[in-house]
Amino acid sequence: MATKLDYDALRAQTMGIGNDEAVTVNTRALIDKVLARYSGEWTTLRELLQNAADASASKVTIRFETLPSPTVPVPQGSEPSTHLKHMLLHHTLKSLIVENDGAVFQDHDWARLKKIAEGNPDETKIGAFGVGFYSVFADCEEPFVSSGREALAFYWQKDALFTRRLALPNNQTTNTTFVLPMRNSTSPIPPLLSLCQFLTSSLTFVGLESIELGIDRWTIATLNKKIAPSLDLQIPKEVNIKTREGLMHVKSVTKEAAQLDARWLKVVEWKPKASTNALKDAGSGSTVRGAHSTQSLRGFFSRLAPGASNGAALEKAAHDERQLQQSLEEDLMGNSTATVFIHVNKANVRTTVNQNFATELERATKKPPPKHTTVSLLSASYDEQVASSSGAQTASEMPRLFSTFIPTNGKGRIFIGFTTNQTTGLNVHISTPSVIPTVERESIDLNNRFVRVWNVELLRVAGIVARVSWGNETMELQEKLARAVKSTGRTRIVKEDIAAVLPEALFLHNTFTWNESTPSAEVGTLMEEAFWTCNQKITIATLSTQGILPSSKVRISPEELGFVEDIPTLPEALANVGLVRKLIDYGVITEVTISDIKLELEGKALNSTQLERFLGWLGHKARINEVDGVMIRSLLNVAVANDGDGTGRVIVLAEMKNFLNSSRIPPEMPIPPSTLPFKYTKKITKADLELMGFEDLQLVPWLRWLVENVGGRGDLSAEYDITTSPEFASSVLPVVSKQWDGLSQSSKATVHELLTHRTVIPTKMGMKKPTQAYFPSVKLFDDLPVIVGIQGVKEKFLSQLGVRKTVEIGVVFERLIDRTPDTKTQMPASSSKWSHVDLIKYLASVRNDIPPADINRLKSMKICPAETESLQPTQERYLVSELFEPDQALRRLRLHTLQWPGIYRPESNEGRFLNFLGLRSAPSYIDLIKIMSNAASNQDMELRDQALRYFIDYHQTKGYSQFDHSSVTLPYLPVQGSEKKAATPNNCFSNGKASLLGFDILRHDLHVHALKFGVRPDPPMGECINRLVKDPPQTKRKARDLFAYFASRASDINDAYAEALSGAPIVPVASKSKSLGNSISEKSERLAHIPPRICFLGDGEKYADIFDYVDFGHEANTFLLRVGSKHEPSTTELTRLLVREPARIFSVLGDTRYLELLRSVAASWRTLKKDKTLVKDIKNSKCLLAYREISSKPSKGDVEDEEDSGIKAWELANANQIVIVDDLITYNLFKTRLLAAPMEETLEDFYHSLGAHEVATLLQEQQTIGMVAKDETLALKLQQLIQERSRLFLADYSSDSIKHNAKWIEQNLRVKCVRSISLRKSLVGYDLSHNENRTAVLHSEKPILYITASGYDMFEVSQALVPVLLQRSKPQSVFMLEMILESSLPKLRSRGYNVARLLNQKATEARIAEEARKQQLEEEQQEMRSREAAWKDSQAANAAEAQQQALMPGVFPNSPDRQHPEGFRQTPAIDDEPIMSKPRGFLSGISKQFGFDKRLSSRNSNNTGGYQTIEAPQETAPPPYSEGNVQKSQTQIPHPETVTAPHQLQQNLVNAIQASRAHNSTSVASQPVVNEVKETASYCDAHPAQDISYIGEITNVRIFLCNTVAANGITATKFLAANASALKLFASILLDCADVFTLKRNTTHIYYDDAGSTIAFNKDKALFFNYRYFDNLHLPVAQQGNKADAIVYWCVVMAHELAHNLVADHSAQHSYYTEALVIQYFHRIASKIVGQHSSTSAAKAPQLLADPLRPRQQREERLLDID
């Protein structure tokens, strides 16, 4: 991935150190490129006319001068037309002269005329860019300008443009004239018609009043403009006169009429035809001079257009054009005139912009924004268009001269003084002189941020003005319409009035129709948006059939609404106009709404025809979902109509609810007044009527209305009385009968209710109620009222009404049976003709015809006898529902059965009828239960068993299985073991084991039918548990059986039951001394009941002594497991018991098993410690086991051998009374007085978490340190060893257990040698102490390890270090560290230690150091930027003073810290030394030590000439370092220069440092960027060669060995082995120096050679330092711990080599940069050497020792030849 560059920093760096260079401009190329933007037609004339308007000119004269053709002679004769024609065809342009009578040029105008891009600073003028005048160079090479008393001529010298100015004689002219000689003599005469059209449009908005066009001596055209006084327009209040951003505020709008008079020669409209010779003379293209090149193309494409060649219209147009051209050619000198009337709406606008916006706008336009401006709209009204006339054409034809003047087809233009290519989208021209165009002034600039805002606001003003103009035009149209109506004496507008003003309205709408603007559609969009949004309401005034109204009140009538006439609608001619279409699209003009129709209906009543149309229209709208129910109801609520039947009835549609369906009710029938007359609805579908909310008149409401209005009530006459008129009843009943089957049950019930109780049935006995009438088929008696005169009535319908088919049962009893019935039985006497069997048979035969009332009467009469045991009838009669069918099974139950002679068949007609009357086929469930219960209570076991058998046999067939047995409360079931006892289904069970709990068991032979009786297998579990808890088993055998029963029902024991049982004392166990329940005596064994949760299953080999174990067999044990018992106690339970009874448990288990118990607790302590209460209890309880050692012999403070160890006495104690043996030596000193935790890591951690103290934490040591030894070699070696091996030691420990890591050890731990160490040990809280001598001890407060100079014990070293490295010190950690420190790396590697990890970790730390170096470098860059800003400020303040100062005597001109005054020159003396030949200031002393003086004097002594060469400062940065690249410079006299900025110098130094890289690295080093340091010089020097090879690496520094050394027998292995520690020390010093310069550590390298004077060298920006000089100069002192001298020395050497990254030679420049590096970073060098001095000796200045390997003479010659 590519590195992201900081371009801001790069730019700042470039601005800080780059060179200033001026930008040059090629004037000719610039003008050509500018003119490329001015490619439009008539650009030159447009700019000159604009200049005239800006100068307030009123008249402009334009004249072309021509050259005659060199090939075509002038025609003979004096005919002007001939000469004019010849000139147009054959002459070419010579020059163009434009003259205006405006204000003459002032000095600033002349000056601005010579400058490009200055622009006109007057904000009221249009010019903005200052490049418009240069459009004259498009055709003219050297223009000439005269104005007033001065003239100015332009001329070229190569590509540079120059001017010469001349003063003219007084009174020579007062006008301004531009003379433009054509660049070449072949320019044709321009097309006259196009030119005149351009000039016509130019008069539109500019301040000019007259333009005259001439060619040579002919005046071709004259244009004059007259403007009438303006009229103020009223701005409606609802129009928002502020633009959206608030920059523009329309103050007023005026309307003014303008008249444009044109006079021109007919030659303007003539299209010359080219002859062959003319084409040859032209020599360019195939088009004729003066003719449009597009004519031929237009004709070509017109021929390609489909059907165009055969179009009659095209042929006619071509014919007319040929005739016109022929007539024009005959009279070219003829004059044509025309006058056009237009009006202009002009808005005065005030602008308000903030200062920031004005500044940005002025930057873009070179002028401030105007505070006031104007926006004008030009259009031709309908009256003025008609009034326009022409001398040569009719009023209906617009002269071609004005074709671009009058806007049409939405092609109005934006004028910025003159027309642009930007259209408005309207038939209106818009002038906005303050709008900012693009450079070519052909379009509006909408790109620049601030310019865009300004232009957009101006376009919005144009939209607002257009809205105001529209309102004014429509107001005038309304006044004209009002005058026309008033003149006729009418008060309302009629269609004729609208037709009279419709053409004018159509013209107005077309004028303000917004089309898409081109080329930028956004221009038109912005103006249109402002047009619509500037008003609070989007509605505008428009023409309707009721006059000019707001468009929101005008409607579109898509169809003919014959029932409303006064709604204002849009004329059809306006419906497709673009402006109106947008109003329709915006929803402003809508179709006729329901509200409109409702308003119309509220104003008048409809006639019959209108009512029929209204209902038809409303139904249609409802069908197509254009109106909803609410709309329909709102219309019907206000609609009223006059009925056309001559009765004067008013139909209020709001009261109409129904319509008549002729398929249901005949139309001739009377209908309710809330029903629409059929004549108005007969053409409307049923669906449409229902959509309108009308309901179909149903039979029931209609019948109710007929019934409720009988007897003269309501409007019904007697002929429509259904109760008295047989004829009307005979017509109504068929209607009802026809629809009877389709009626709902409720409707049938209503009809039944309406007709049953009224005389609506015509019979031979008169009008009867239905229940009183009989069908004609009933002939049992002759005097019955039988139906007559009814046709088409269904028999079913009459039957439902109650018309009888059978004789009433009472009549039967009255006429066929004796009238003196038995009072007891309510039946006829025994002498009656019919028995109960005969009666049943008769009634069964007429069953379907018996009325319901008679059926109910039969059910309530006792008409049938029961049978006796001999099957004879009883004297007593019963209700049919009180008897049972005659069946043998029922007779065994001793029930009342029906007496029926012969065989009774339930499936016969009589049997079914009897069942209908209530004859019972079987006893009910409750009756059968009562039979069995009563039999059981009466000890009638036979009857009970018969009932039980019947219940079982008929359980399914009689439906007994459907009943809820649990609701039975009568005991009837036999119980096992007691014949006389009975139980309910809820109180007995089928599982015999339930008897263990005292429950009743169903008799055994009924178990197979238990489910039929509702008997459950087992009692509810809750009841079982209650009984178990209340009466627990008293023997283990009973407990085994009882628990086994519960185990068989384990699925019924839910969690709540299990929880309740787990704490209930239900388990019998052998009683102990501390029992948990009441005990009983059984065979000398005392039992106690305990809860299941505290007893355990099995034999309990481990904890049987302290817990209760039981075993009732597998099945019973399963139950106990379910309710809380376990096989073994949990750790939590063990812990709680341990806390509660520690002494008892210890006495039972003993120390060994008690320790096992503690181990299990410790293993689960991570979980147990979450219980805060348990933790607190453990801490407060003496439950922890510890031991105290009792010595077998007196202790003398020595560590005892294992065989001499004392006796351990175990005790229970609190955690705070116990110590953890982490320091075995200290513990052995005081062990007889301490309670020690078991020496197991798990138990130690457990005790420690409970508050046990470690011996080390209790230990207090009082150290007595002797004098520091002079020789620190032993301490340094040990310190290096500790730093190296601490990584290996800590590798296997987690970060939580490490107290200080290896990096902390390297940075903080120091080792010192002392003469003696004594130590006094004591324990906190114990009155114990011990004194001893030590060889190693760690300082109690500082990270300093003291060792004895005579030697040290590595165990004591490890013992002192482990507390520093680890959070908790353990004996095994001390032993491990001792082993690691004493073993070699190969030995550690052989033992499995990952020695390579040490190197990897060091690499990681090196990366971290590199990141810190980059951060430091970034801070330096930030500091340099700050210095740069300060430097620039100081230079600006002291510039004047610096220029006046003279160079002081004795100061070097090229000194980097001096400035050269302007104009100073100096020639050095003959005997003077070269400039900067000596280092000065801070490094003078160091230079002497390094041998600079000797070296330079030696060089000076080699000069044989009397004069010394003075090196001139280099103009460019020195080249990067490379071998063999020695700079050469020629002798020059130094010129005065300015001092280089300090921040530039500092940047050079940073670049030099960053250019360094590692040798043989894979990356490519970038070249350093060197700023120009003008005070430096250079001289020649040589570079020694090197021949070295890589041999190894130490602390990330690569080591090289000279190949000559290897040739002498010193191998790389021998060299590294002999100098390992010294090389490591040298590498650490070099890395410290690299950190000083923020240098990458891998850029430093060490090498060794056995000869030569090179201390260090720079190879391709990799730095190499000679170990031989370090070995001779600094090694002995550095090994004593004093590295200050070495750091200072090698920092200066490193600065020397870093300077070579900028300058390859040992020149003055190189010395300058070396000194600059040391000065710049000296504060860091000082901070490095602070604290490096040894405490025993003061620091000394570094002294160079003699090279032991070279002769003294060579050492003196190049002692400091670093390279």
Side-chain angles (χ1 to χ4, degrees), residues 594-622:
I594 297 300
S595 299
D596 301 329
I597 298 175
K598 179 180 178 182
L599 186 64
E600 180 73 11
L601 293 176
E602 288 176 347
K604 68 176 184 178
L606 304 175
N607 55 34
S608 299
T609 304
Q610 291 176 334
L611 176 59
E612 185 176 352
R613 291 179 178 177
F614 169 65
L615 291 176
W617 172 84
L618 189 59
H620 172 70
K621 292 297 182 182

Side-chain angles (χ1 to χ4, degrees), residues 1261-1267 1314-1320 1331-1334 1337 1346 1348:
E1261 295 180 344
Q1262 185 176 356
Q1263 303 170 353
T1264 303
I1265 309 299
M1267 296 295 292
V1314 295
R1315 298 183 183 273
S1316 63
I1317 301 174
S1318 63
L1319 188 65
R1320 182 180 183 273
N1331 297 323
E1332 63 180 5
N1333 295 326
R1334 300 296 295 269
V1337 69
Y1346 294 103
T1348 57

Side-chain angles (χ1 to χ4, degrees), residues 125-197:
K125 306 303 182 182
I126 294 177
F129 303 103
V131 296
F133 170 74
Y134 283 81
S135 62
V136 301
F137 288 95
D139 298 311
C140 173
E141 187 73 10
E142 296 181 345
F144 175 78
V145 183
S146 69
S147 180
R149 299 174 56 187
E150 293 186 82
L152 183 70
F154 290 83
Y155 67 96
W156 291 92
Q157 289 186 5
K158 295 184 179 179
D159 290 333
L161 182 65
F162 296 86
T163 62
R164 289 183 180 178
R165 193 169 170 183
L166 175 67
L168 301 178
N170 293 334
N171 301 326
Q172 181 171 346
T173 179
T174 60
N175 294 339
T176 299
T177 305
F178 296 87
V179 180
L180 309 178
M182 295 294 106
R183 178 177 288 108
N184 56 67
S185 60
T186 61
S187 300
I189 297 175
L192 297 182
L193 179 60
S194 176
L195 176 59
C196 290
Q197 289 174 344

Side-chain angles (χ1 to χ4, degrees), residues 385-636:
Q385 186 185 35
V386 174
S388 299
S389 61
S390 173
Q393 294 171 322
T394 63
S396 61
E397 296 181 357
M398 183 63 62
R400 295 184 179 182
L401 204 64
F402 297 129
S403 61
T404 60
F405 181 75
I406 302 299
T408 58
N409 299 325
K411 299 301 182 182
R413 297 296 182 100
I414 295 292
F415 280 71
I416 309 177
F418 293 88
T419 181
T420 65
N421 288 336
Q422 179 63 52
T423 64
T424 62
L426 292 172
N427 289 342
V428 175
H429 293 316
I430 297 178
S431 173
T432 55
S434 295
V435 77
I436 301 172
T438 54
V439 176
E440 68 277 9
R441 291 179 59 183
E442 291 295 338
S443 59
I444 299 175
D445 188 355
L446 295 177
N447 295 321
N448 182 278
R449 173 186 171 190
F450 295 94
V451 171
R452 173 184 172 83
V453 173
W454 174 268
N455 287 340
V456 167
E457 291 288 271
L458 281 173
L459 293 175
R460 288 171 178 156
V461 171
I464 296 173
V465 178
R467 185 61 176 265
V468 175
S469 302
W470 170 268
N472 177 71
E473 296 292 341
T474 55
M475 187 181 301
E476 292 180 356
L477 189 62
Q478 174 65 15
E479 293 175 355
K480 182 181 296 186
L481 190 60
R483 290 194 298 269
V485 173
K486 186 177 180 180
S487 64
T488 59
R490 289 182 276 102
T491 58
R492 297 186 59 183
I493 297 176
V494 297
K495 293 182 178 180
E496 291 73 13
D497 299 329
I498 300 302
V501 298
L502 185 58
E504 184 175 356
L506 185 61
F507 173 81
L508 179 61
H509 282 73
N510 286 325
T511 300
F512 285 90
T513 293
W514 294 94
N515 300 289
E516 183 178 1
S517 62
T518 58
S520 174
E522 187 179 6
V523 172
T525 301
L526 290 170
M527 292 189 292
E528 183 180 7
E529 177 188 6
F531 178 85
W532 293 112
T533 59
C534 67
N535 200 315
Q536 297 177 0
K537 300 179 180 179
I538 196 173
T539 181
I540 62 174
T542 187
L543 181 65
S544 70
T545 55
Q546 301 298 322
I548 299 294
L549 293 174
S551 55
S552 59
K553 297 182 179 180
V554 180
R555 301 290 179 261
I556 303 172
S557 180
E559 55 188 342
E560 183 66 26
L561 300 177
F563 53 91
V564 289
E565 298 175 351
D566 297 333
I567 298 177
T569 57
L570 193 69
E572 293 183 4
L574 295 179
N576 293 323
V577 178
L579 183 64
V580 176
R581 293 308 309 171
K582 289 192 175 182
L583 289 172
I584 296 173
D585 294 340
Y586 294 157
V588 179
I589 298 179
T590 63
E591 296 184 355
V592 177
T593 64
I594 297 300
S595 299
D596 301 329
I597 298 175
K598 179 180 178 182
L599 186 64
E600 180 73 11
L601 293 176
E602 288 176 347
K604 68 176 184 178
L606 304 175
N607 55 34
S608 299
T609 304
Q610 291 176 334
L611 176 59
E612 185 176 352
R613 291 179 178 177
F614 169 65
L615 291 176
W617 172 84
L618 189 59
H620 172 70
K621 292 297 182 182
R623 186 188 334 118
I624 62 177
N625 294 325
E626 290 190 5
V627 293
D628 56 15
V630 177
M631 296 179 182
I632 294 172
R633 182 49 52 190
S634 65
L635 293 176
L636 294 177

Side-chain angles (χ1 to χ4, degrees), residues 612-828:
E612 185 176 352
R613 291 179 178 177
F614 169 65
L615 291 176
W617 172 84
L618 189 59
H620 172 70
K621 292 297 182 182
R623 186 188 334 118
I624 62 177
N625 294 325
E626 290 190 5
V627 293
D628 56 15
V630 177
M631 296 179 182
I632 294 172
R633 182 49 52 190
S634 65
L635 293 176
L636 294 177
N637 287 341
V638 300
V640 178
N642 295 318
D643 197 354
D645 57 358
T647 61
R649 176 191 175 191
V650 176
I651 300 175
V652 181
L653 294 183
E655 299 176 357
M656 299 294 106
K657 306 298 182 185
N658 306 103
F659 65 91
L660 185 62
N661 188 348
S662 59
S663 63
R664 178 172 293 138
I665 301 174
E668 61 272 9
M669 287 289 182
I671 57 176
S674 62
T675 303
L676 284 170
F678 182 69
K679 61 182 178 180
Y680 299 120
T681 62
K682 61 183 178 180
K683 296 182 180 180
I684 305 174
T685 63
K686 176 177 178 292
D688 290 351
L689 290 170
E690 290 176 345
L691 288 174
M692 286 187 284
F694 297 113
E695 298 179 357
D696 189 355
L697 181 60
Q698 299 295 324
L699 178 68
V700 174
W702 175 67
L703 188 61
R704 179 182 289 110
W705 177 73
L706 290 177
V707 171
E708 292 177 351
N709 288 277
V710 298
R713 295 189 296 270
D715 298 332
L716 283 178
S717 58
E719 62 178 328
Y720 296 124
D721 191 339
I722 193 174
T723 60
T724 60
S725 175
E727 293 79 7
F728 185 65
S730 298
S731 62
V732 171
L733 289 175
V735 174
V736 179
S737 174
K738 180 180 179 181
Q739 304 177 50
W740 178 258
D741 292 336
L743 297 178
S744 63
Q745 293 299 326
S746 59
S747 298
K748 290 180 179 180
T750 303
V751 172
H752 185 274
E753 182 182 357
L754 290 173
L755 299 181
T756 301
H757 304 291
R758 291 176 174 85
T759 57
V760 297
I761 304 297
T763 68
K764 66 180 181 179
M765 305 298 293
M767 298 296 290
K768 296 293 181 179
K769 297 178 180 179
T771 55
Q772 297 173 348
Y774 292 87
F775 282 98
S777 60
V778 180
K779 301 178 180 179
L780 190 58
F781 304 108
D782 294 335
D783 55 351
L784 295 177
V786 180
I787 298 174
V788 294
I790 299 178
Q791 301 295 330
V793 180
K794 298 178 181 178
E795 181 179 316
K796 179 180 180 182
F797 165 62
L798 294 176
S799 298
Q800 293 291 333
L801 291 180
V803 177
R804 301 184 63 87
K805 291 184 178 181
T806 62
V807 180
E808 185 182 2
I809 194 64
V811 176
V812 172
F813 288 155
E814 181 180 356
R815 296 192 180 189
L816 299 179
I817 300 176
D818 189 1
R819 293 176 177 270
T820 59
D822 187 340
T823 57
K824 183 176 181 180
T825 63
Q826 301 180 9
M827 283 297 296

